[in-house]
Amino acid sequence: MLVQLVAELAAYEKEPDAATGTPQDYAAALFPPGREPAVSAFVAEVDGQVVGMAIWFVTFSTWTARHGLWLEDLFVQPEHRGEGIGADLMSALAQVCVDRGYPRMEWTVLDWNTPAIEVYRHLGAEPMDGWTTQRLTGSALSAVAGR
């Protein structure tokens, strides 16, 4: 079901072909044999059906010299939005931070995703103006690796 939610998220973010992970890929990432996973996921269920997810991992801050939590993706199916599921997932993530002594939780949000931005502001999140996400992929990533 996680793969289906990721496909729905990709469609919502107007990049339906970007989600290429298979069930096997998610199983290997979330339940790697012989080691701790580098990524975690929380799911939300309604009547036994998975309707939401939060995929996250641990980060490190050079400024605080402490770990934090990076929320890679949060998604709730449209028909279940407004039920508090997203807020519950955010609460579970915040609890991980509190329990582990992490001073912060961070994530990005698409500029046009006003509904999500409104939820985040309601929760007390603050935008990090002045920061721009950078990404290396494909041939550019290979070129840098081969320097």
Side-chain angles (χ1 to χ4, degrees), residues 29-51:
L30 293 167
F31 308 103
R35 65 176 174 82
E36 290 292 317
V39 64
S40 298
F42 290 159
V43 296
E45 294 183 2
V46 172
D47 297 327
Q49 296 295 316
V50 176
V51 300

Side-chain angles (χ1 to χ4, degrees), residues 87-109:
D88 287 347
L89 287 165
M90 292 295 285
S91 178
L93 294 166
Q95 191 62 56
V96 169
C97 291
V98 169
D99 290 348
R100 296 182 182 183
Y102 299 167
R104 62 185 176 194
M105 179 170 83
E106 298 174 298
W107 62 95
T108 59
V109 60

